[in-house]
Amino acid sequence: MQAEAQTRSGDDRATDAGAGAAARPDDAPVPARRAGIAGLLPAIVAGFLAVLVSFSGPLAIFYQAAEAANVSNAMFASWVWGISIGAGLTGIWLSWRLKAPIITAWSAPGTALLITLFPQLSVNEAVGAYLSAAAILLAIGMSGWMERVSSWVPPGVASGMMAGILIPFGLNAFKGVAAMPVLVFGMIAAYLVFRRTSPRYCVALLLATGTCIAWLSGATRFGGVDLQLVAPVFIAPAWTWSATFSLALPLVLVTLTGQYLPGMTVLRNAGYDTPVRPVVVGSSLASLAVAFAGGITIAIAAITAAMCTGREAHEDPRRRYVAGLANGAFYLVAGLFGGSIVMLFAALPKELVATLAGLALLGPILANLGAMLAAGDHREASLIAFVATASGMSFLGLGSAFWGVAIGIVACRVLHGRGAGKTSDQTRAKT
């Protein structure tokens, strides 16, 4: 998933790693090229499916953030325009320049973080935090210190914070059963079936199933949905210390650990020796531009990237970059008609959106809990970071994500010593 947590469960990573290892450009057999667009059709389809998955799960979380902020549909449409245009242009430019399937998306963990901060945090403060986070990521990208900066926070503590951010959404997936039992139980059953039979497209199939159940039960309002172009809304940024520490800095952390590190690993496992610097710099510049329309941080994707880097996208690894171009093009189209997407989500019952978002995040929740428990030399500190973040605590105007990391780092030093986490950091940096 991208829009995206953008870490995954262990079985997903193993599957993608195996597929990637079999598709390395250096050793994969290259068949004779098929002429015309038909030869590129698998790559185009892969790019489309990656967009579909992003708009099925991560956008549902973004919609919940808009509801928490009490913004209008027109404002949310501007947000959708920002993230879609930013991801589209970045993906097209990077894929063409690097000749690799670079799939970009908005930060799904960062979007989940937003919901815990609205409505106490104003939209203007959120935009100011987006700009601060993008500027910090740009500086990190230009310096080439991505792995070094990421290693400042022990990996188990970072995973504990991310799991703490995401766990409330997993819980919310089941709370709608009292109001709409047929819908919620039906989606849970569908999730189990699709997770077993078609895990890669599970979220998109789950959205289709939930929509059908809601429609058959008369809970949808599709009558007002039509094609509608977006008119981007300029949002003046406002900078506050509270927004910087509660949103900007945690957003940098979850983007580095939840998107850039696993996203680059997906590319490298597929055999693409893609440099990190242009990816981080290009995505950060796009983030700066779209922030004024309400677009949250743009970064490389991990889950949806795996859909475009393997043999499913194209037999010839040298032509899979077309999947990145197609993905970007579909994002641009979706961004232009973001108003229609907003109306579609508004036409669905809120229980469907909450259940969809929660079930879509079960994989990232599992992956982060697993990483937290695997941090053998600082496991207790990681648990403390998880509990502190999940508590939703707020102090001095700073949110639980900041305090989860801060308390987790202190706990790591006190309980486990200065050397805790360094071995894991070195291993992570090598990837």
Side-chain angles (χ1 to χ4, degrees):
M1 182 180 64
Q2 35 288 179
E4 25 70 328
Q6 315 259 0
T7 50
R8 297 168 292 167
S9 61
D11 58 337
D12 286 338
R13 287 200 300 265
T15 301
D16 287 338
R24 295 182 183 277
D26 293 335
D27 54 20
V30 180
R33 294 189 176 184
R34 288 171 287 179
I37 195 166
L40 299 176
L41 187 59
I44 296 172
V45 171
F48 171 76
L49 290 175
V51 172
L52 181 61
V53 170
S54 294
F55 277 94
S56 300
L59 192 65
I61 305 169
F62 209 32
Y63 182 72
Q64 289 184 308
E67 286 191 321
N70 297 317
V71 300
S72 65
N73 283 347
M75 176 67 77
F76 180 54
S78 180
W79 294 8
V80 174
W81 180 91
I83 58 176
S84 302
I85 298 300
L89 293 177
T90 305
I92 290 173
W93 180 70
L94 289 173
S95 296
W96 178 260
R97 180 188 172 192
L98 301 176
K99 292 299 184 288
I102 309 298
I103 308 301
T104 53
W106 58 95
S107 175
T111 303
L113 177 61
L114 275 179
I115 303 177
T116 67
L117 299 175
F118 287 142
Q120 289 79 15
L121 184 77
S122 71
V123 173
N124 304 86
E125 288 176 305
V127 171
Y130 296 164
L131 293 171
S132 298
I136 294 171
L137 289 169
L138 178 60
I140 293 172
M142 295 181 68
S143 69
W145 288 1
M146 188 182 79
E147 289 87 356
R148 184 180 302 180
V149 172
S150 300
S151 69
W152 291 349
V153 179
V157 172
S159 296
M161 180 204 65
M162 290 184 66
I165 292 172
L166 300 177
I167 195 70
F169 299 93
L171 299 176
N172 287 338
F174 304 90
K175 290 183 178 180
V177 70
M180 302 190 71
V182 174
L183 173 65
V184 175
F185 279 125
M187 291 184 68
I188 293 171
Y191 172 82
L192 296 176
V193 172
F194 296 141
R195 194 76 183 91
R196 177 66 184 269
T197 60
S198 186
R200 184 159 289 182
Y201 309 112
C202 176
V203 177
L205 293 171
L206 185 61
L207 172 60
T209 302
T211 302
C212 288
I213 296 174
W215 179 71
L216 291 173
S217 61
T220 57
R221 302 178 299 276
F222 289 133
V225 178
D226 57 13
L227 287 178
Q228 186 177 98
L229 291 172
V230 174
V233 178
F234 175 80
I235 304 172
W239 282 273
T240 62
W241 287 113
S242 176
T244 299
F245 284 101
S246 294
L247 179 56
L249 295 184
L251 184 56
V252 170
L253 181 59
V254 299
T255 302
L256 287 174
T257 60
Q259 289 196 235
Y260 280 117
L261 289 178
M264 294 305 300
T265 299
V266 168
L267 279 173
R268 288 166 182 169
N269 284 345
Y272 295 96
D273 190 18
T274 306
V276 177
R277 181 174 298 180
V279 176
V280 179
V281 171
S283 300
S284 300
L285 290 174
S287 299
L288 287 170
V290 302
F292 294 101
I296 198 170
T297 304
I298 303 298
I300 191 172
I303 300 175
T304 51
M307 302 171 65
C308 299
T309 55
R311 290 185 181 274
E312 299 90 347
H314 203 283
E315 285 294 325
D316 186 348
R318 294 174 298 182
R319 306 189 77 187
R320 289 176 195 157
Y321 76 93
V322 175
L325 300 179
N327 178 261
F330 286 120
Y331 264 131
L332 294 181
V333 174
L336 293 176
F337 293 97
S340 301
I341 295 173
V342 171
M343 287 189 289
L344 177 62
F345 272 92
L348 299 174
K350 63 181 182 179
E351 290 81 7
L352 188 156
V353 176
T355 303
L356 175 67
L359 294 177
L361 287 173
L362 288 183
I365 291 171
L366 177 62
N368 282 287
L369 288 175
M372 181 184 76
L373 295 175
D377 60 347
H378 58 289
R379 184 179 299 145
E380 188 172 355
S382 304
L383 176 62
I384 292 172
F386 165 69
V387 174
T389 304
S391 72
M393 66 178 292
S394 178
F395 182 62
L396 299 178
L398 304 177
S400 61
F402 170 80
W403 288 115
V405 172
I407 295 173
I409 292 175
V410 172
C412 187
R413 298 295 182 264
V414 173
L415 297 176
H416 309 291
R418 290 183 175 272
K422 288 187 176 180
T423 301
S424 298
D425 290 340
Q426 292 169 357
T427 300
R428 181 176 59 177
K430 289 179 182 179
T431 64

